[in-house]
Amino acid sequence: MTEQHINYQRVAKAIHYLSERQAAQPSLAELASHVGLSEFHLQRIFSEWAGISPKQFLQFLTKERAKQQLRKSSVLEAALASGLSGSGRLHDLMIKAECMTPGEYRSLGAGLQIAYSVQTSVFGYCLIAITQRGICKMAFFDEPSQEVAVLQELQQEWPAADLQRDEPALAGVFRQVFSGRGDPAAPLRVLLKGSEFQLKVWEALMAIPHGELCSYQQVAGAMGIPSSVRSVASAIARNHVAYLIPCHRVIRSTGEFSQYRWGAQRKQAMLVHEAAQTLR
């Protein structure tokens, strides 16, 4: 296990502790004791990872902040009307989405070559799988032993495809995804495979601006189907491309972060990371 992954787990644990006890405003000493580090060490790795201190995190990433973000009911509508835009670092990656045709969907990936790699990232272990047309899967996990289950999931999603592990081929993709520096001349592409309704929901997620939050109700409303909140939530939960298709930016209308396919603590960590970037 790399030092980067260990530090992610420590920061995620700290974020969860602060979120759960926000009202009590725990001190740095309390937090350090909970994580099992010295105050100096925790302050350093938290600030290096998130770009803000634990105290600054308490000041803005709380349920009240989430509720204030959710009051911006026009954010998603405006983004959908104008297309992907904004100065957020993730949007600077120039992500382009392409959807599989119905025929390709039915073929289950027959004749398709998929290269994949597993590396450590700022959010833990990460698997990225890519075809000639774009990234077809991105998933996170916490322990090396969970890699087998993630690979099985990839195989189930593309049962007729030829899967090959290729670390060198994916090295540049990992750098581009997590560095936050994109090349407009070579945009990242994602290949989406799902029902027509799921594709529409996932494309709507890509319109949520970097650092913003939306509720499931707001996503459904922006798509013109306000009575289909449950169906929208189900489609969001079936997203196969974590982070790049930002389902982590959708939370409950109460401000609760709720569950996340790749872990609730990881979802909080992603939101902290993005919120910190907007302050830079």
Side-chain angles (χ1 to χ4, degrees):
M1 188 176 294
T2 67
E3 185 69 16
Q4 181 186 44
H5 184 65
I6 292 172
N7 285 343
Y8 157 71
Q9 291 184 317
R10 290 166 170 166
V11 172
K13 187 175 182 180
I15 289 170
H16 181 70
Y17 184 84
L18 292 174
S19 297
E20 290 292 305
R21 295 164 177 77
Q22 184 272 329
Q25 293 289 293
S27 66
L28 181 62
E30 292 175 71
L31 182 63
S33 176
H34 175 74
V35 176
L37 296 172
S38 68
E39 293 178 46
F40 173 80
H41 194 189
L42 175 61
Q43 179 89 355
R44 181 178 63 80
I45 66 170
F46 195 105
S47 298
E48 287 178 353
W49 187 91
I52 55 174
S53 68
K55 183 176 181 179
Q56 287 174 311
F57 165 69
L58 272 176
Q59 292 173 347
F60 72 84
L61 195 67
T62 64
K63 183 186 293 187
E64 282 307 306
R65 175 187 176 275
K67 287 181 178 178
Q68 290 171 6
Q69 289 287 315
L70 291 175
R71 294 190 188 107
K72 300 178 181 179
S73 58
S74 64
V75 169
L76 182 55
E77 286 88 339
L80 285 172
S82 61
L84 286 178
S85 61
S87 59
R89 297 179 71 197
L90 186 57
H91 286 170
D92 289 344
L93 295 175
M94 302 293 291
I95 300 168
K96 303 291 184 182
E98 183 176 341
C99 303
M100 298 199 75
T101 66
E104 291 173 324
Y105 183 92
R106 288 191 296 269
S107 73
L108 304 177
L112 191 67
Q113 292 187 327
I114 298 178
Y116 71 90
S117 175
V118 174
Q119 299 187 30
T120 56
S121 74
V122 292
F123 304 117
Y125 292 108
C126 178
L127 175 142
I128 295 182
I130 190 168
T131 73
Q132 289 185 337
R133 291 166 58 189
I135 296 170
C136 62
K137 186 172 183 65
M138 187 166 169
F140 295 95
F141 56 100
D142 294 310
E143 302 296 337
S145 60
Q146 296 172 320
E147 181 178 327
V148 173
V150 176
L151 288 176
Q152 289 176 342
E153 189 177 85
L154 174 63
Q155 183 70 76
Q156 289 168 0
E157 292 167 6
W158 303 89
D162 177 25
L163 304 184
Q164 297 290 334
R165 187 162 191 148
D166 192 339
E167 311 290 352
L170 274 293
V173 176
F174 270 92
R175 285 194 298 271
Q176 192 172 358
V177 169
F178 294 109
S179 71
R181 295 185 295 274
D183 181 1
L188 276 176
R189 294 185 179 275
V190 293
L191 180 62
L192 304 180
K193 179 172 74 77
S195 68
E196 183 178 355
F197 180 79
Q198 289 172 335
L199 294 174
K200 289 180 179 179
V201 173
W202 299 338
E203 288 174 342
L205 297 182
M206 292 185 69
I208 302 175
H210 183 89
E212 298 287 349
L213 302 175
C214 284
S215 70
Y216 295 97
Q217 289 86 348
Q218 287 174 345
V219 174
M223 293 177 63
I225 49 173
S227 62
S228 300
V229 174
R230 184 164 296 184
S231 297
V232 167
S234 176
I236 290 174
R238 292 180 180 275
N239 172 31
H240 303 302
V241 185
Y243 194 52
L244 297 182
I245 308 298
C247 52
H248 59 280
R249 295 180 191 156
V250 184
I251 65 178
R252 293 177 180 170
S253 57
T254 59
E256 297 290 346
F257 292 106
S258 70
Q259 293 302 308
Y260 181 58
R261 181 173 178 177
W262 295 282
Q265 287 191 21
R266 183 169 284 108
K267 180 174 184 174
Q268 288 183 316
M270 288 178 176
L271 294 175
V272 170
H273 198 263
E274 291 188 356
Q277 289 175 349
T278 64
L279 298 180
R280 294 176 184 175

